[in-house]
Amino acid sequence: MALLEYRDVWKRYTEASYVLRSVNLRVEEGRLVVISGPNGSGKTTLLKIGAGILRPSRGEALVKGVNSRLPSAKRWLGVVLHEPMVYPELSVYENLKYYAGLRGIEEPLAGGLAAEAFEELGLTRYRDRRVEELSFGWRRRTDIVRALLGGPPVILIDEPFTGLDPGAREGLASVFRKHLARGGSILATTPLGGADIEFMKSSGLEPQVYRISGGGLERVGSSSG
Amino acid sequence: MIWKDLLLETRRISEFGAALVFAVSAASLIGFAANKFAPSGITGTLIAGLGLVLVEVFLAVFTAIMGFVREADKGTLEGMRSSPVEPVVVFLAKLVFTLILLETLVAVSTGAAIFFGGTALQDAYMLFPLLASAGIYLASVSAFASALSVYIEARGILLPTLILVLSAPLIQDVIILVEGGFYGHGSWMLALSGLGFMIVASWLSRYILEV
């Protein structure tokens, strides 16, 4: 079953040209799909449309069959973009508490994948530190935990391993494995020619890789078919 | 969301402080001018009313920058928009925050005007319904303009222009009220028009907060 599906998605920002052209993609349960492409190729645009924060010019993105722009669909999504969506003036815990509140969760770290990721990514010691006092890598980790609040079945993540040290990369790969083993799915992007895909393969994540070019997607292979 | 915004404001002292310094300085000068040129009768109160509403209009630009515009600049607006919350709830939360901020600044600045106004502002109690009503209207204008200009590159020009245009009916109403010496139910009508604008802006927010 496809948890996330793009149906004939087109997107243009200006009249001149389309960033995405007739994109069709299904992200099945328990699968990691990776979109690889150069800067400006439309990777983040594709992710934002799936996250329901950008309206496609044509077509639609569905989460469990529901249009991703609807709040009911957003409950099933965890979104991490390149820039962390956390408030620098709040502490790590205050940020998580706030975003948990938006999902109707009282205690952000009471259990589930977010609590596990909080431990795996080593955030425990920074729990009460303001985000503005942390480096980009730690902000990024906070943002990843934020996206996992409430255990959404679909994770959309822009360049997941950017800004993370080797320990955190291993920790995130472990979080991804758990998520996929529980039937969740992940749509990630990576820059063209990066080492992320090799790392994912070596971490047992079995990514399905697509290359984005000229606004369209082209399957370039996967470790398991 | 409102709690978060208020907490953030206490930790971003410089921005709120700048608005506060402007409001108190402007109101003190208004009070001083009223005391100097109309020390007795209702004229001083009328002049101060006009001046304080103009201060409020300027503060609405401040609060617009502190609203959705800042969320967009910090990248946190995407966090709200990717959460399972209706756009109208996001908009109303920001509007209430703006209202709290604006009314706080107005209360402090009115206090400063009364302090420096002396006998000229002995009828200052008449100002409170006017300023509170204008605050409701301007908070709606401020949140609306802030949301509307989030994704527009020419925001620097558009935001104050939008607030000026949308505030024009309010300024006109206030002039009529002042000319009538604050008698009648003008302030209530102003509050009602503010609520009306709030409802329209909230309804439109579902379209505004999408790209």
Side-chain angles (χ1 to χ4, degrees), chain A residues 48 53 55 69 71 74 85 87 89 94 98, chain B residues 4 8 11-12 71 76 78-79 81 84 210-211:
Chain A
K48 284 185 174 180
I53 52 182
R55 186 197 291 258
R69 284 171 39 225
K74 289 176 182 175
M85 294 184 256
Y87 293 88
E89 298 85 354
E94 284 169 340
Y98 164 66
Chain B
K4 176 265 297 174
L8 285 174
R11 294 179 185 177
R12 291 169 178 155
E71 294 271 5
T76 48
E78 308 287 36
R81 294 179 64 234
E210 281 195 0
V211 180

mmCIF file with all atom_site columns, all heavy atoms in Angstrom, chain A residues 48 53 55 69 71 74 85 87 89 94 98, chain B residues 4 8 11-12 71 76 78-79 81 84 210-211:
data_model
loop_
_atom_site.group_PDB
_atom_site.id
_atom_site.type_symbol
_atom_site.label_atom_id
_atom_site.label_alt_id
_atom_site.label_comp_id
_atom_site.label_asym_id
_atom_site.label_entity_id
_atom_site.label_seq_id
_atom_site.pdbx_PDB_ins_code
_atom_site.Cartn_x
_atom_site.Cartn_y
_atom_site.Cartn_z
_atom_site.occupancy
_atom_site.B_iso_or_equiv
_atom_site.pdbx_formal_charge
_atom_site.auth_seq_id
_atom_site.auth_comp_id
_atom_site.auth_asym_id
_atom_site.auth_atom_id
_atom_site.pdbx_PDB_model_num
ATOM 1   N N   . LYS A 1 48  ? 8.091  19.587 -0.456 1.00 0.00 ? 48  LYS A N   1
ATOM 2   C CA  . LYS A 1 48  ? 7.125  20.536 0.122  1.00 0.00 ? 48  LYS A CA  1
ATOM 3   C C   . LYS A 1 48  ? 5.706  20.265 -0.366 1.00 0.00 ? 48  LYS A C   1
ATOM 4   O O   . LYS A 1 48  ? 4.751  20.469 0.375  1.00 0.00 ? 48  LYS A O   1
ATOM 5   C CB  . LYS A 1 48  ? 7.531  21.979 -0.223 1.00 0.00 ? 48  LYS A CB  1
ATOM 6   C CG  . LYS A 1 48  ? 8.696  22.498 0.618  1.00 0.00 ? 48  LYS A CG  1
ATOM 7   C CD  . LYS A 1 48  ? 8.960  23.959 0.311  1.00 0.00 ? 48  LYS A CD  1
ATOM 8   C CE  . LYS A 1 48  ? 10.006 24.538 1.244  1.00 0.00 ? 48  LYS A CE  1
ATOM 9   N NZ  . LYS A 1 48  ? 10.274 25.953 0.950  1.00 0.00 ? 48  LYS A NZ  1
ATOM 10  N N   . ILE A 1 53  ? 2.689  21.890 2.140  1.00 0.00 ? 53  ILE A N   1
ATOM 11  C CA  . ILE A 1 53  ? 2.956  23.308 2.399  1.00 0.00 ? 53  ILE A CA  1
ATOM 12  C C   . ILE A 1 53  ? 3.185  24.074 1.101  1.00 0.00 ? 53  ILE A C   1
ATOM 13  O O   . ILE A 1 53  ? 3.441  25.270 1.127  1.00 0.00 ? 53  ILE A O   1
ATOM 14  C CB  . ILE A 1 53  ? 4.120  23.526 3.388  1.00 0.00 ? 53  ILE A CB  1
ATOM 15  C CG1 . ILE A 1 53  ? 5.369  22.776 2.974  1.00 0.00 ? 53  ILE A CG1 1
ATOM 16  C CG2 . ILE A 1 53  ? 3.723  23.129 4.760  1.00 0.00 ? 53  ILE A CG2 1
ATOM 17  C CD1 . ILE A 1 53  ? 6.523  22.924 3.942  1.00 0.00 ? 53  ILE A CD1 1
ATOM 18  N N   . ARG A 1 55  ? 1.396  24.272 -2.887 1.00 0.00 ? 55  ARG A N   1
ATOM 19  C CA  . ARG A 1 55  ? 0.301  23.795 -3.745 1.00 0.00 ? 55  ARG A CA  1
ATOM 20  C C   . ARG A 1 55  ? 0.847  23.467 -5.132 1.00 0.00 ? 55  ARG A C   1
ATOM 21  O O   . ARG A 1 55  ? 1.521  24.299 -5.739 1.00 0.00 ? 55  ARG A O   1
ATOM 22  C CB  . ARG A 1 55  ? -0.730 24.916 -3.850 1.00 0.00 ? 55  ARG A CB  1
ATOM 23  C CG  . ARG A 1 55  ? -1.997 24.537 -4.586 1.00 0.00 ? 55  ARG A CG  1
ATOM 24  C CD  . ARG A 1 55  ? -2.714 25.800 -4.990 1.00 0.00 ? 55  ARG A CD  1
ATOM 25  N NE  . ARG A 1 55  ? -3.259 26.520 -3.862 1.00 0.00 ? 55  ARG A NE  1
ATOM 26  C CZ  . ARG A 1 55  ? -4.547 26.503 -3.523 1.00 0.00 ? 55  ARG A CZ  1
ATOM 27  N NH1 . ARG A 1 55  ? -5.397 25.806 -4.235 1.00 0.00 ? 55  ARG A NH1 1
ATOM 28  N NH2 . ARG A 1 55  ? -4.978 27.195 -2.503 1.00 0.00 ? 55  ARG A NH2 1
ATOM 29  N N   . ARG A 1 69  ? -2.580 18.529 1.574  1.00 0.00 ? 69  ARG A N   1
ATOM 30  C CA  . ARG A 1 69  ? -2.769 19.905 2.069  1.00 0.00 ? 69  ARG A CA  1
ATOM 31  C C   . ARG A 1 69  ? -3.760 19.970 3.217  1.00 0.00 ? 69  ARG A C   1
ATOM 32  O O   . ARG A 1 69  ? -3.864 20.973 3.905  1.00 0.00 ? 69  ARG A O   1
ATOM 33  C CB  . ARG A 1 69  ? -3.201 20.816 0.921  1.00 0.00 ? 69  ARG A CB  1
ATOM 34  C CG  . ARG A 1 69  ? -2.026 21.173 0.007  1.00 0.00 ? 69  ARG A CG  1
ATOM 35  C CD  . ARG A 1 69  ? -2.439 21.885 -1.248 1.00 0.00 ? 69  ARG A CD  1
ATOM 36  N NE  . ARG A 1 69  ? -3.497 22.842 -1.034 1.00 0.00 ? 69  ARG A NE  1
ATOM 37  C CZ  . ARG A 1 69  ? -4.563 22.953 -1.820 1.00 0.00 ? 69  ARG A CZ  1
ATOM 38  N NH1 . ARG A 1 69  ? -4.718 22.151 -2.837 1.00 0.00 ? 69  ARG A NH1 1
ATOM 39  N NH2 . ARG A 1 69  ? -5.471 23.861 -1.574 1.00 0.00 ? 69  ARG A NH2 1
ATOM 40  N N   . PRO A 1 71  ? -5.319 19.275 6.905  1.00 0.00 ? 71  PRO A N   1
ATOM 41  C CA  . PRO A 1 71  ? -4.760 19.007 8.239  1.00 0.00 ? 71  PRO A CA  1
ATOM 42  C C   . PRO A 1 71  ? -4.847 17.541 8.642  1.00 0.00 ? 71  PRO A C   1
ATOM 43  O O   . PRO A 1 71  ? -3.949 17.027 9.309  1.00 0.00 ? 71  PRO A O   1
ATOM 44  C CB  . PRO A 1 71  ? -5.607 19.894 9.155  1.00 0.00 ? 71  PRO A CB  1
ATOM 45  C CG  . PRO A 1 71  ? -6.062 21.011 8.285  1.00 0.00 ? 71  PRO A CG  1
ATOM 46  C CD  . PRO A 1 71  ? -6.266 20.409 6.934  1.00 0.00 ? 71  PRO A CD  1
ATOM 47  N N   . LYS A 1 74  ? -1.857 15.899 7.317  1.00 0.00 ? 74  LYS A N   1
ATOM 48  C CA  . LYS A 1 74  ? -0.605 16.363 7.941  1.00 0.00 ? 74  LYS A CA  1
ATOM 49  C C   . LYS A 1 74  ? -0.326 15.642 9.257  1.00 0.00 ? 74  LYS A C   1
ATOM 50  O O   . LYS A 1 74  ? 0.804  15.596 9.720  1.00 0.00 ? 74  LYS A O   1
ATOM 51  C CB  . LYS A 1 74  ? -0.649 17.877 8.133  1.00 0.00 ? 74  LYS A CB  1
ATOM 52  C CG  . LYS A 1 74  ? -0.542 18.626 6.804  1.00 0.00 ? 74  LYS A CG  1
ATOM 53  C CD  . LYS A 1 74  ? -0.670 20.110 6.977  1.00 0.00 ? 74  LYS A CD  1
ATOM 54  C CE  . LYS A 1 74  ? -0.609 20.796 5.601  1.00 0.00 ? 74  LYS A CE  1
ATOM 55  N NZ  . LYS A 1 74  ? -0.841 22.235 5.685  1.00 0.00 ? 74  LYS A NZ  1
ATOM 56  N N   . MET A 1 85  ? 13.176 23.942 11.627 1.00 0.00 ? 85  MET A N   1
ATOM 57  C CA  . MET A 1 85  ? 11.971 24.721 11.888 1.00 0.00 ? 85  MET A CA  1
ATOM 58  C C   . MET A 1 85  ? 11.757 24.909 13.393 1.00 0.00 ? 85  MET A C   1
ATOM 59  O O   . MET A 1 85  ? 10.628 24.904 13.872 1.00 0.00 ? 85  MET A O   1
ATOM 60  C CB  . MET A 1 85  ? 10.769 24.019 11.271 1.00 0.00 ? 85  MET A CB  1
ATOM 61  C CG  . MET A 1 85  ? 10.821 23.962 9.758  1.00 0.00 ? 85  MET A CG  1
ATOM 62  S SD  . MET A 1 85  ? 9.330  23.231 9.084  1.00 0.00 ? 85  MET A SD  1
ATOM 63  C CE  . MET A 1 85  ? 9.855  21.622 8.623  1.00 0.00 ? 85  MET A CE  1
ATOM 64  N N   . TYR A 1 87  ? 12.492 27.082 17.088 1.00 0.00 ? 87  TYR A N   1
ATOM 65  C CA  . TYR A 1 87  ? 12.650 28.469 17.541 1.00 0.00 ? 87  TYR A CA  1
ATOM 66  C C   . TYR A 1 87  ? 13.956 28.606 18.316 1.00 0.00 ? 87  TYR A C   1
ATOM 67  O O   . TYR A 1 87  ? 14.132 27.934 19.346 1.00 0.00 ? 87  TYR A O   1
ATOM 68  C CB  . TYR A 1 87  ? 11.466 28.879 18.413 1.00 0.00 ? 87  TYR A CB  1
ATOM 69  C CG  . TYR A 1 87  ? 10.179 28.951 17.637 1.00 0.00 ? 87  TYR A CG  1
ATOM 70  C CD1 . TYR A 1 87  ? 9.374  27.815 17.487 1.00 0.00 ? 87  TYR A CD1 1
ATOM 71  C CD2 . TYR A 1 87  ? 9.784  30.124 17.027 1.00 0.00 ? 87  TYR A CD2 1
ATOM 72  C CE1 . TYR A 1 87  ? 8.211  27.866 16.749 1.00 0.00 ? 87  TYR A CE1 1
ATOM 73  C CE2 . TYR A 1 87  ? 8.620  30.179 16.284 1.00 0.00 ? 87  TYR A CE2 1
ATOM 74  C CZ  . TYR A 1 87  ? 7.833  29.057 16.151 1.00 0.00 ? 87  TYR A CZ  1
ATOM 75  O OH  . TYR A 1 87  ? 6.685  29.104 15.408 1.00 0.00 ? 87  TYR A OH  1
ATOM 76  N N   . GLU A 1 89  ? 15.048 30.829 20.297 1.00 0.00 ? 89  GLU A N   1
ATOM 77  C CA  . GLU A 1 89  ? 14.937 31.373 21.658 1.00 0.00 ? 89  GLU A CA  1
ATOM 78  C C   . GLU A 1 89  ? 14.346 30.379 22.649 1.00 0.00 ? 89  GLU A C   1
ATOM 79  O O   . GLU A 1 89  ? 14.365 30.628 23.858 1.00 0.00 ? 89  GLU A O   1
ATOM 80  C CB  . GLU A 1 89  ? 14.076 32.646 21.660 1.00 0.00 ? 89  GLU A CB  1
ATOM 81  C CG  . GLU A 1 89  ? 14.635 33.797 20.835 1.00 0.00 ? 89  GLU A CG  1
ATOM 82  C CD  . GLU A 1 89  ? 14.253 33.711 19.365 1.00 0.00 ? 89  GLU A CD  1
ATOM 83  O OE1 . GLU A 1 89  ? 13.652 32.677 18.976 1.00 0.00 ? 89  GLU A OE1 1
ATOM 84  O OE2 . GLU A 1 89  ? 14.553 34.640 18.606 1.00 0.00 ? 89  GLU A OE2 1
ATOM 85  N N   . GLU A 1 94  ? 11.316 22.859 25.110 1.00 0.00 ? 94  GLU A N   1
ATOM 86  C CA  . GLU A 1 94  ? 10.189 23.781 24.865 1.00 0.00 ? 94  GLU A CA  1
ATOM 87  C C   . GLU A 1 94  ? 9.720  23.699 23.408 1.00 0.00 ? 94  GLU A C   1
ATOM 88  O O   . GLU A 1 94  ? 8.524  23.755 23.124 1.00 0.00 ? 94  GLU A O   1
ATOM 89  C CB  . GLU A 1 94  ? 10.602 25.221 25.203 1.00 0.00 ? 94  GLU A CB  1
ATOM 90  C CG  . GLU A 1 94  ? 10.658 25.493 26.693 1.00 0.00 ? 94  GLU A CG  1
ATOM 91  C CD  . GLU A 1 94  ? 11.313 26.828 27.032 1.00 0.00 ? 94  GLU A CD  1
ATOM 92  O OE1 . GLU A 1 94  ? 12.062 27.382 26.181 1.00 0.00 ? 94  GLU A OE1 1
ATOM 93  O OE2 . GLU A 1 94  ? 11.098 27.313 28.163 1.00 0.00 ? 94  GLU A OE2 1
ATOM 94  N N   . TYR A 1 98  ? 6.026  22.490 22.331 1.00 0.00 ? 98  TYR A N   1
ATOM 95  C CA  . TYR A 1 98  ? 5.164  23.343 21.511 1.00 0.00 ? 98  TYR A CA  1
ATOM 96  C C   . TYR A 1 98  ? 4.635  22.571 20.295 1.00 0.00 ? 98  TYR A C   1
ATOM 97  O O   . TYR A 1 98  ? 3.427  22.546 20.034 1.00 0.00 ? 98  TYR A O   1
ATOM 98  C CB  . TYR A 1 98  ? 5.946  24.584 21.059 1.00 0.00 ? 98  TYR A CB  1
ATOM 99  C CG  . TYR A 1 98  ? 5.294  25.316 19.917 1.00 0.00 ? 98  TYR A CG  1
ATOM 100 C CD1 . TYR A 1 98  ? 4.063  25.942 20.073 1.00 0.00 ? 98  TYR A CD1 1
ATOM 101 C CD2 . TYR A 1 98  ? 5.902  25.374 18.662 1.00 0.00 ? 98  TYR A CD2 1
ATOM 102 C CE1 . TYR A 1 98  ? 3.460  26.598 19.013 1.00 0.00 ? 98  TYR A CE1 1
ATOM 103 C CE2 . TYR A 1 98  ? 5.302  26.030 17.598 1.00 0.00 ? 98  TYR A CE2 1
ATOM 104 C CZ  . TYR A 1 98  ? 4.083  26.638 17.778 1.00 0.00 ? 98  TYR A CZ  1
ATOM 105 O OH  . TYR A 1 98  ? 3.476  27.275 16.731 1.00 0.00 ? 98  TYR A OH  1
ATOM 106 N N   . LYS B 2 4   ? 3.437  30.449 23.228 1.00 0.00 ? 4   LYS B N   1
ATOM 107 C CA  . LYS B 2 4   ? 4.774  30.396 22.615 1.00 0.00 ? 4   LYS B CA  1
ATOM 108 C C   . LYS B 2 4   ? 5.205  31.787 22.158 1.00 0.00 ? 4   LYS B C   1
ATOM 109 O O   . LYS B 2 4   ? 6.332  32.213 22.398 1.00 0.00 ? 4   LYS B O   1
ATOM 110 C CB  . LYS B 2 4   ? 4.736  29.409 21.443 1.00 0.00 ? 4   LYS B CB  1
ATOM 111 C CG  . LYS B 2 4   ? 5.990  29.278 20.628 1.00 0.00 ? 4   LYS B CG  1
ATOM 112 C CD  . LYS B 2 4   ? 6.020  30.147 19.388 1.00 0.00 ? 4   LYS B CD  1
ATOM 113 C CE  . LYS B 2 4   ? 4.934  29.789 18.412 1.00 0.00 ? 4   LYS B CE  1
ATOM 114 N NZ  . LYS B 2 4   ? 4.873  30.728 17.254 1.00 0.00 ? 4   LYS B NZ  1
ATOM 115 N N   . LEU B 2 8   ? 8.319  33.911 23.554 1.00 0.00 ? 8   LEU B N   1
ATOM 116 C CA  . LEU B 2 8   ? 9.387  34.368 22.656 1.00 0.00 ? 8   LEU B CA  1
ATOM 117 C C   . LEU B 2 8   ? 9.615  35.874 22.815 1.00 0.00 ? 8   LEU B C   1
ATOM 118 O O   . LEU B 2 8   ? 10.752 36.338 22.792 1.00 0.00 ? 8   LEU B O   1
ATOM 119 C CB  . LEU B 2 8   ? 9.020  34.054 21.202 1.00 0.00 ? 8   LEU B CB  1
ATOM 120 C CG  . LEU B 2 8   ? 9.134  32.594 20.766 1.00 0.00 ? 8   LEU B CG  1
ATOM 121 C CD1 . LEU B 2 8   ? 8.610  32.419 19.351 1.00 0.00 ? 8   LEU B CD1 1
ATOM 122 C CD2 . LEU B 2 8   ? 10.575 32.110 20.849 1.00 0.00 ? 8   LEU B CD2 1
ATOM 123 N N   . ARG B 2 11  ? 11.809 36.897 25.474 1.00 0.00 ? 11  ARG B N   1
ATOM 124 C CA  . ARG B 2 11  ? 13.223 36.566 25.230 1.00 0.00 ? 11  ARG B CA  1
ATOM 125 C C   . ARG B 2 11  ? 13.826 37.347 24.069 1.00 0.00 ? 11  ARG B C   1
ATOM 126 O O   . ARG B 2 11  ? 14.971 37.147 23.709 1.00 0.00 ? 11  ARG B O   1
ATOM 127 C CB  . ARG B 2 11  ? 13.347 35.050 24.979 1.00 0.00 ? 11  ARG B CB  1
ATOM 128 C CG  . ARG B 2 11  ? 13.006 34.261 26.229 1.00 0.00 ? 11  ARG B CG  1
ATOM 129 C CD  . ARG B 2 11  ? 13.100 32.781 26.010 1.00 0.00 ? 11  ARG B CD  1
ATOM 130 N NE  . ARG B 2 11  ? 12.659 32.071 27.207 1.00 0.00 ? 11  ARG B NE  1
ATOM 131 C CZ  . ARG B 2 11  ? 12.572 30.755 27.299 1.00 0.00 ? 11  ARG B CZ  1
ATOM 132 N NH1 . ARG B 2 11  ? 12.913 29.993 26.289 1.00 0.00 ? 11  ARG B NH1 1
ATOM 133 N NH2 . ARG B 2 11  ? 12.155 30.183 28.413 1.00 0.00 ? 11  ARG B NH2 1
ATOM 134 N N   . ARG B 2 12  ? 12.986 38.147 23.424 1.00 0.00 ? 12  ARG B N   1
ATOM 135 C CA  . ARG B 2 12  ? 13.485 39.011 22.348 1.00 0.00 ? 12  ARG B CA  1
ATOM 136 C C   . ARG B 2 12  ? 13.236 40.445 22.780 1.00 0.00 ? 12  ARG B C   1
ATOM 137 O O   . ARG B 2 12  ? 12.469 41.166 22.157 1.00 0.00 ? 12  ARG B O   1
ATOM 138 C CB  . ARG B 2 12  ? 12.730 38.751 21.059 1.00 0.00 ? 12  ARG B CB  1
ATOM 139 C CG  . ARG B 2 12  ? 12.980 37.419 20.412 1.00 0.00 ? 12  ARG B CG  1
ATOM 140 C CD  . ARG B 2 12  ? 11.961 37.220 19.300 1.00 0.00 ? 12  ARG B CD  1
ATOM 141 N NE  . ARG B 2 12  ? 12.162 35.976 18.602 1.00 0.00 ? 12  ARG B NE  1
ATOM 142 C CZ  . ARG B 2 12  ? 11.186 35.340 17.962 1.00 0.00 ? 12  ARG B CZ  1
ATOM 143 N NH1 . ARG B 2 12  ? 9.956  35.826 17.963 1.00 0.00 ? 12  ARG B NH1 1
ATOM 144 N NH2 . ARG B 2 12  ? 11.426 34.215 17.324 1.00 0.00 ? 12  ARG B NH2 1
ATOM 145 N N   . GLU B 2 71  ? 8.104  34.866 11.492 1.00 0.00 ? 71  GLU B N   1
ATOM 146 C CA  . GLU B 2 71  ? 8.044  33.391 11.414 1.00 0.00 ? 71  GLU B CA  1
ATOM 147 C C   . GLU B 2 71  ? 8.603  32.921 10.064 1.00 0.00 ? 71  GLU B C   1
ATOM 148 O O   . GLU B 2 71  ? 9.329  31.936 10.002 1.00 0.00 ? 71  GLU B O   1
ATOM 149 C CB  . GLU B 2 71  ? 6.590  32.912 11.545 1.00 0.00 ? 71  GLU B CB  1
ATOM 150 C CG  . GLU B 2 71  ? 5.949  33.174 12.894 1.00 0.00 ? 71  GLU B CG  1
ATOM 151 C CD  . GLU B 2 71  ? 6.151  32.056 13.893 1.00 0.00 ? 71  GLU B CD  1
ATOM 152 O OE1 . GLU B 2 71  ? 6.871  31.096 13.587 1.00 0.00 ? 71  GLU B OE1 1
ATOM 153 O OE2 . GLU B 2 71  ? 5.595  32.161 15.000 1.00 0.00 ? 71  GLU B OE2 1
ATOM 154 N N   . THR B 2 76  ? 10.240 29.184 10.620 1.00 0.00 ? 76  THR B N   1
ATOM 155 C CA  . THR B 2 76  ? 9.347  28.430 11.499 1.00 0.00 ? 76  THR B CA  1
ATOM 156 C C   . THR B 2 76  ? 7.894  28.426 11.007 1.00 0.00 ? 76  THR B C   1
ATOM 157 O O   . THR B 2 76  ? 7.096  27.624 11.483 1.00 0.00 ? 76  THR B O   1
ATOM 158 C CB  . THR B 2 76  ? 9.397  28.996 12.935 1.00 0.00 ? 76  THR B CB  1
ATOM 159 O OG1 . THR B 2 76  ? 9.264  30.424 12.865 1.00 0.00 ? 76  THR B OG1 1
ATOM 160 C CG2 . THR B 2 76  ? 10.707 28.666 13.605 1.00 0.00 ? 76  THR B CG2 1
ATOM 161 N N   . GLU B 2 78  ? 6.959  27.410 8.176  1.00 0.00 ? 78  GLU B N   1
ATOM 162 C CA  . GLU B 2 78  ? 6.790  26.101 7.529  1.00 0.00 ? 78  GLU B CA  1
ATOM 163 C C   . GLU B 2 78  ? 6.464  25.034 8.580  1.00 0.00 ? 78  GLU B C   1
ATOM 164 O O   . GLU B 2 78  ? 5.730  24.086 8.302  1.00 0.00 ? 78  GLU B O   1
ATOM 165 C CB  . GLU B 2 78  ? 8.061  25.696 6.770  1.00 0.00 ? 78  GLU B CB  1
ATOM 166 C CG  . GLU B 2 78  ? 8.595  26.721 5.796  1.00 0.00 ? 78  GLU B CG  1
ATOM 167 C CD  . GLU B 2 78  ? 7.767  26.863 4.531  1.00 0.00 ? 78  GLU B CD  1
ATOM 168 O OE1 . GLU B 2 78  ? 6.531  26.754 4.625  1.00 0.00 ? 78  GLU B OE1 1
ATOM 169 O OE2 . GLU B 2 78  ? 8.352  27.099 3.464  1.00 0.00 ? 78  GLU B OE2 1
ATOM 170 N N   . GLY B 2 79  ? 7.044  25.204 9.768  1.00 0.00 ? 79  GLY B N   1
ATOM 171 C CA  . GLY B 2 79  ? 6.767  24.253 10.850 1.00 0.00 ? 79  GLY B CA  1
ATOM 172 C C   . GLY B 2 79  ? 5.304  24.270 11.243 1.00 0.00 ? 79  GLY B C   1
ATOM 173 O O   . GLY B 2 79  ? 4.695  23.215 11.469 1.00 0.00 ? 79  GLY B O   1
ATOM 174 N N   . ARG B 2 81  ? 2.876  25.367 9.278  1.00 0.00 ? 81  ARG B N   1
ATOM 175 C CA  . ARG B 2 81  ? 2.055  24.981 8.131  1.00 0.00 ? 81  ARG B CA  1
ATOM 176 C C   . ARG B 2 81  ? 2.130  23.482 7.840  1.00 0.00 ? 81  ARG B C   1
ATOM 177 O O   . ARG B 2 81  ? 1.251  22.938 7.190  1.00 0.00 ? 81  ARG B O   1
ATOM 178 C CB  . ARG B 2 81  ? 2.459  25.798 6.906  1.00 0.00 ? 81  ARG B CB  1
ATOM 179 C CG  . ARG B 2 81  ? 2.130  27.283 7.094  1.00 0.00 ? 81  ARG B CG  1
ATOM 180 C CD  . ARG B 2 81  ? 2.532  28.106 5.904  1.00 0.00 ? 81  ARG B CD  1
ATOM 181 N NE  . ARG B 2 81  ? 1.791  27.724 4.738  1.00 0.00 ? 81  ARG B NE  1
ATOM 182 C CZ  . ARG B 2 81  ? 2.346  27.377 3.567  1.00 0.00 ? 81  ARG B CZ  1
ATOM 183 N NH1 . ARG B 2 81  ? 3.644  27.362 3.435  1.00 0.00 ? 81  ARG B NH1 1
ATOM 184 N NH2 . ARG B 2 81  ? 1.604  27.058 2.556  1.00 0.00 ? 81  ARG B NH2 1
ATOM 185 N N   . PRO B 2 84  ? -0.670 19.614 11.759 1.00 0.00 ? 84  PRO B N   1
ATOM 186 C CA  . PRO B 2 84  ? -2.096 19.365 11.479 1.00 0.00 ? 84  PRO B CA  1
ATOM 187 C C   . PRO B 2 84  ? -3.014 20.376 12.150 1.00 0.00 ? 84  PRO B C   1
ATOM 188 O O   . PRO B 2 84  ? -3.832 20.039 13.000 1.00 0.00 ? 84  PRO B O   1
ATOM 189 C CB  . PRO B 2 84  ? -2.303 17.952 12.036 1.00 0.00 ? 84  PRO B CB  1
ATOM 190 C CG  . PRO B 2 84  ? -1.282 17.808 13.099 1.00 0.00 ? 84  PRO B CG  1
ATOM 191 C CD  . PRO B 2 84  ? -0.109 18.626 12.701 1.00 0.00 ? 84  PRO B CD  1
ATOM 192 N N   . GLU B 2 210 ? -1.473 29.859 2.171  1.00 0.00 ? 210 GLU B N   1
ATOM 193 C CA  . GLU B 2 210 ? -1.008 28.838 1.236  1.00 0.00 ? 210 GLU B CA  1
ATOM 194 C C   . GLU B 2 210 ? -0.219 29.517 0.136  1.00 0.00 ? 210 GLU B C   1
ATOM 195 O O   . GLU B 2 210 ? -0.424 30.685 -0.145 1.00 0.00 ? 210 GLU B O   1
ATOM 196 C CB  . GLU B 2 210 ? -2.197 28.116 0.606  1.00 0.00 ? 210 GLU B CB  1
ATOM 197 C CG  . GLU B 2 210 ? -2.801 27.085 1.521  1.00 0.00 ? 210 GLU B CG  1
ATOM 198 C CD  . GLU B 2 210 ? -3.717 26.144 0.774  1.00 0.00 ? 210 GLU B CD  1
ATOM 199 O OE1 . GLU B 2 210 ? -3.863 26.312 -0.439 1.00 0.00 ? 210 GLU B OE1 1
ATOM 200 O OE2 . GLU B 2 210 ? -4.271 25.261 1.412  1.00 0.00 ? 210 GLU B OE2 1
ATOM 201 N N   . VAL B 2 211 ? 0.657  28.759 -0.489 1.00 0.00 ? 211 VAL B N   1
ATOM 202 C CA  . VAL B 2 211 ? 1.422  29.320 -1.611 1.00 0.00 ? 211 VAL B CA  1
ATOM 203 C C   . VAL B 2 211 ? 0.836  28.792 -2.905 1.00 0.00 ? 211 VAL B C   1
ATOM 204 O O   . VAL B 2 211 ? 0.577  27.610 -3.015 1.00 0.00 ? 211 VAL B O   1
ATOM 205 C CB  . VAL B 2 211 ? 2.898  28.914 -1.512 1.00 0.00 ? 211 VAL B CB  1
ATOM 206 C CG1 . VAL B 2 211 ? 3.673  29.495 -2.681 1.00 0.00 ? 211 VAL B CG1 1
ATOM 207 C CG2 . VAL B 2 211 ? 3.471  29.387 -0.215 1.00 0.00 ? 211 VAL B CG2 1
#
